[in-house]
Amino acid sequence: MSEQVMRVTEGGDVERVYDEANRDVLVCRRAEIFFTPNDDGTPSTAGKVIWHTQWWSYIGSFKRGEALGPQLENSIDEVLGNSYDVGLPEPLPASVIVAGIKAAYVQRAAAHFGVAIRSTHNGGNGG
């Protein structure tokens, strides 16, 4: 078997390619986001993102196995400084993605406790 080559496919997969028939695809099976709220209620970027991954091994299009991949961990600040191509006309700033996750948290928590959400455009602390 030849030397492995790492690449990102046009579809956005991270692959480890060994030869024409053999490759491993890195799959994120679970992602976690941990926020540490500021005591004064101001928006917080304290926290971290952890991606738990697996390698899925293929011979051609046949999946032949799975193995644990690396656990990737970054601070919220490290992630916020980037923009990401998510299939929209322009890359989406990470701050918008994180704000969406926080807004979803507030909506789900309010629904869980039967609380009506006030319509605001500046969000809440949420974490």
Side-chain angles (χ1 to χ4, degrees), residues 98-123:
V98 171
I101 292 167
K102 285 183 174 184
Y105 157 75
V106 170
Q107 184 183 54
R108 299 302 185 262
H112 178 82
F113 292 107
V115 177
I117 298 176
R118 291 179 287 150
S119 177
T120 65
H121 295 285
N122 59 4

Side-chain angles (χ1 to χ4, degrees), residues 4-5 9 13-14 19 22 27-28 38 40 46-47 49 57 61-62 64 73 78 87 98 104 106-107 110 116 120:
Q4 70 182 15
V5 175
T9 68
D13 291 323
V14 175
D19 56 39
N22 295 285
V27 177
C28 179
N38 291 332
D40 64 2
V49 180
S57 299
S61 61
F62 175 74
R64 63 179 170 85
E73 184 174 321
E78 289 171 317
V98 171
V106 170
Q107 184 183 54
T120 65

